[in-house]
Amino acid sequence: MTHATAQSERKYPCDRCPLLHRDSFRRFSDDELAFVSGFKKGELFVDRGATVMCEGASNPHLYTVLTGWGFRYKLLPDGRRQIVNYVMPGDLIGLQGTLTGEMQHSIEALSPMTLCMFERNELMTLYRAHPPLAYDITWLASREECMLDENLLSIGRRSAVERLAYLVAFLVGRARTSGLLSGNAVSRLALTQQHMADTLGLSLVHTNKTVRKLAQRGLLRWTDGGCEVLDVEGLKGLARWEDQEARQRPFL
Amino acid sequence: MTHATAQSERKYPCDRCPLLHRDSFRRFSDDELAFVSGFKKGELFVDRGATVMCEGASNPHLYTVLTGWGFRYKLLPDGRRQIVNYVMPGDLIGLQGTLTGEMQHSIEALSPMTLCMFERNELMTLYRAHPPLAYDITWLASREECMLDENLLSIGRRSAVERLAYLVAFLVGRARTSGLLSGNAVSRLALTQQHMADTLGLSLVHTNKTVRKLAQRGLLRWTDGGCEVLDVEGLKGLARWEDQEARQRPFL
DNA sequence: CGTTGACTTGACCGTCTTCAAGTTTAGTGG
DNA sequence: CCACTAAACTTGAAGACGGTCAAGTCAACG
């Protein structure tokens, strides 16, 4: 019996990529699909709690999240942790430090994750062969920038209650469009209050009390190891968040 | 007498771009220079205090900062302001919202500024014609992302004193490599304490008291309408900031 | 059945905000 | 030249918001 091709051994060959036929992602041309198929160099499966990449280490790979989610964070030397953003299906990670390859942040999985692996130093090939894909990568980077801007506004200028309301609404919104949350069941975010605290720039204790306040208002409910979102609009209102309509986005 | 070409009427034709021969910027090939020269569509001169672009408005242009500096900020509906980053020579601005063209933030000049203007919807031409330049744009975007990550860490997890120390060190560092601060005179940042407060997520009053503390430690001095930086290393130490060595960067 | 991780709660305290008033400087028009 | 104004900085006092400490509950797991 001969070896199957590398691609057929994959759990997610590109033509069956779980992102391909989701409404919020744009389609590839046949050409692009073929190229990306060859550009992909492997698949990475990690468990909940695993470190996907690590601050300070150099990493020759880029990844696109296929399933599951995680968070991106930075540490101060004395251990204080700040979660800067979350990664969800369709997100391209590891672009930061394209030149050095040295990561400026770490990423940890919040659920089992599947990632699609690329070689960082083949990026230029993609830029030469498929300018529209290159354009998409830039678009993804600038989208990330927008999210970070919003988060900065939130941490810098919103009160604890507003901040938490914003965070929960933000996460549900992203989770929905990235396909993490299916159907019309109650949205549920499986993260600990410690994660929320480290995202909001608050202490664990105060985060807990803030969660409780939002629960009393009927905006959310805390159920073991996660947060059920009851009223997204209410949360957005509380956070004074005006959102722009969702658009079709590219992915790699 | 015939009209001169558009280019020769410019104050800064690309072959005399003030960024061209600065150590911290990479060189263009002749080819690239010629292309960029045609890609450039105009020059924008603004006074100190002018709004360069405005949140919510759609803007068909991209700009590269040639001289001067400014800040990028967002507002909450009730007027609370958060400065998310500063723009300095070599920075490409307006990339956010490439698709919609609708700005998610505003930019205001902190000094007279000169900007080099491009057409947003010609970007794809650049991506097709000069993949290495496209790559550079992505690099710039991911560099911005790194800065925002750092700022988030700072606002989320550092105390007021650490935060201010970080901010000042950060600004001096950038100002030096972007050519805003020349020679070896004492570095001087011409911004108000209100700007600092809105960057740090602090109130004006507390920012003032924090400035005073750093001044007492001999790390900086406040002189009318600006801040003289006396000891950058001391500031970095206080902020517990480990920086990565500077590299040659691209610019557009 | 002890251990561990996550959540909860109360008490106390410090950082930072708000309010208020005052100083200094530069700019303006009489 | 001088009063008038506005912007930026300064300072003190009071109080809110959020941090820290400490103790305790609960469920899951081996």
Side-chain angles (χ1 to χ4, degrees):
Chain A
M1 171 175 157
T2 60
H3 276 297
T5 69
Q7 285 191 32
S8 70
E9 280 169 8
R10 289 181 180 158
K11 183 163 178 203
Y12 297 117
C14 288
D15 53 6
R16 267 177 287 149
C17 176
L19 303 176
L20 257 188
H21 298 294
R22 217 167 267 165
D23 282 348
S24 46
F25 296 98
R26 81 160 178 81
R27 305 286 183 272
F28 284 136
S29 71
D30 292 347
D31 234 30
E32 288 169 343
L33 190 61
F35 177 84
V36 170
S37 216
F39 196 64
K40 176 171 180 174
K41 289 291 178 293
E43 291 175 340
L44 177 62
F45 300 88
V46 302
D47 295 334
R48 181 175 170 289
T51 298
V52 179
M53 48 178 65
C54 194
E55 192 171 351
S58 87
N59 188 327
H61 299 128
L62 300 174
Y63 304 90
T64 289
V65 179
L66 297 184
T67 67
W69 67 317
F71 60 94
R72 214 157 63 74
Y73 66 98
K74 292 174 77 77
L75 294 172
L76 286 176
D78 61 5
R80 282 176 282 181
R81 179 174 79 168
Q82 177 66 38
I83 296 181
V84 293
N85 204 358
Y86 292 79
V87 297
M88 296 189 186
D91 289 351
L92 179 63
I93 64 186
L95 201 61
Q96 303 69 20
T98 303
L99 292 185
T100 71
E102 176 151 329
M103 292 296 99
Q104 311 294 326
H105 58 254
S106 309
I107 296 184
E108 186 180 317
L110 280 165
S111 73
M113 291 179 77
T114 315
L115 300 110
C116 178
M117 199 178 94
F118 308 107
E119 301 266 346
R120 177 191 301 279
N121 55 25
E122 285 185 16
L123 244 197
M124 202 56 222
T125 317
L126 179 147
Y127 271 66
R128 291 190 194 285
H130 291 273
L133 293 182
Y135 193 83
D136 288 347
I137 291 181
T138 306
W139 189 86
L140 287 172
S142 96
R143 168 176 163 276
E144 176 83 12
E145 209 187 304
C146 275
M147 290 191 277
L148 294 175
D149 285 352
E150 287 282 355
N151 281 320
L152 261 166
L153 173 63
S154 202
I155 299 195
R157 288 302 175 203
R158 280 195 251 248
S159 70
V161 178
E162 293 171 329
R163 250 183 262 186
L164 180 57
Y166 169 78
L167 175 62
V168 174
F170 168 76
L171 287 177
V172 177
R174 282 192 66 194
R176 286 221 158 272
T177 61
S178 71
L180 264 184
L181 292 173
S182 49
N184 35 20
V186 181
S187 305
R188 191 157 177 296
L189 301 169
L191 33 60
T192 68
Q193 296 184 0
Q194 184 67 65
H195 291 125
M196 290 191 161
D198 287 348
T199 312
L200 301 171
L202 297 172
S203 72
L204 175 59
V205 174
H206 196 68
T207 300
N208 178 284
K209 288 167 183 168
T210 308
V211 165
R212 224 112 289 292
K213 280 184 197 166
L214 291 192
Q216 271 166 30
R217 298 205 196 191
L219 297 172
L220 53 78
R221 193 181 337 172
W222 198 269
T223 57
D224 43 25
C227 160
E228 283 184 2
V229 184
L230 302 178
D231 180 0
V232 185
E233 291 311 315
L235 290 167
K236 286 185 184 176
L238 219 180
R240 274 158 241 189
W241 181 24
E242 47 236 28
D243 58 342
Q244 37 277 355
E245 71 282 33
R247 303 228 168 203
Q248 277 218 330
R249 53 176 283 199
F251 76 99
L252 182 64
Chain B
M1 171 174 159
T2 60
H3 275 297
T5 68
Q7 286 190 34
S8 70
E9 282 168 7
R10 288 182 182 159
K11 184 165 177 201
Y12 297 117
C14 288
D15 54 6
R16 266 177 287 150
C17 177
L19 303 177
L20 257 189
H21 297 293
R22 217 166 267 166
D23 282 348
S24 47
F25 295 99
R26 81 159 178 79
R27 304 287 183 273
F28 285 137
S29 72
D30 291 348
D31 234 28
E32 288 169 344
L33 190 60
F35 177 84
V36 170
S37 215
F39 196 63
K40 177 170 179 174
K41 288 293 177 294
E43 293 174 339
L44 179 61
F45 300 88
V46 301
D47 295 335
R48 181 175 170 289
T51 298
V52 179
M53 48 178 67
C54 193
E55 192 170 352
S58 88
N59 188 326
H61 299 129
L62 299 174
Y63 304 91
T64 290
V65 180
L66 297 185
T67 66
W69 68 316
F71 61 93
R72 213 156 63 73
Y73 65 97
K74 293 175 76 78
L75 295 172
L76 286 176
D78 62 5
R80 283 175 281 181
R81 179 173 79 168
Q82 177 65 39
I83 297 181
V84 293
N85 203 358
Y86 292 78
V87 296
M88 297 189 186
D91 289 351
L92 179 63
I93 64 186
L95 201 60
Q96 303 69 19
T98 302
L99 292 184
T100 71
E102 176 150 328
M103 291 297 98
Q104 310 294 326
H105 59 254
S106 309
I107 296 184
E108 187 180 317
L110 281 165
S111 73
M113 290 179 77
T114 315
L115 300 110
C116 177
M117 198 178 96
F118 308 106
E119 301 266 346
R120 177 190 300 280
N121 55 26
E122 285 184 17
L123 245 196
M124 202 55 223
T125 316
L126 179 147
Y127 271 66
R128 290 190 195 284
H130 291 273
L133 293 181
Y135 194 82
D136 288 347
I137 292 181
T138 306
W139 189 86
L140 287 172
S142 96
R143 168 177 164 276
E144 175 83 11
E145 209 186 305
C146 274
M147 289 191 277
L148 294 175
D149 285 353
E150 288 281 357
N151 280 321
L152 262 166
L153 173 64
S154 202
I155 298 196
R157 288 303 176 203
R158 281 195 250 248
S159 69
V161 178
E162 293 171 329
R163 249 183 264 186
L164 181 57
Y166 170 78
L167 175 62
V168 173
F170 168 77
L171 287 178
V172 176
R174 282 192 66 194
R176 286 222 159 272
T177 61
S178 71
L180 264 185
L181 292 173
S182 49
N184 34 20
V186 181
S187 305
R188 190 157 178 296
L189 301 168
L191 33 61
T192 68
Q193 296 184 1
Q194 184 68 65
H195 291 127
M196 290 190 160
D198 287 349
T199 311
L200 301 171
L202 297 172
S203 71
L204 175 59
V205 173
H206 197 68
T207 299
N208 178 284
K209 288 168 183 168
T210 307
V211 165
R212 223 113 290 291
K213 280 184 197 166
L214 292 191
Q216 270 165 30
R217 297 205 196 191
L219 298 172
L220 53 79
R221 192 181 337 168
W222 198 270
T223 57
D224 44 25
C227 160
E228 283 184 3
V229 184
L230 303 178
D231 180 1
V232 184
E233 290 311 317
L235 290 167
K236 286 186 183 174
L238 219 179
R240 276 159 238 188
W241 183 23
E242 46 237 27
D243 58 341
Q244 37 277 354
E245 71 281 37
R247 304 226 168 205
Q248 275 218 331
R249 53 175 284 199
F251 75 99
L252 183 65

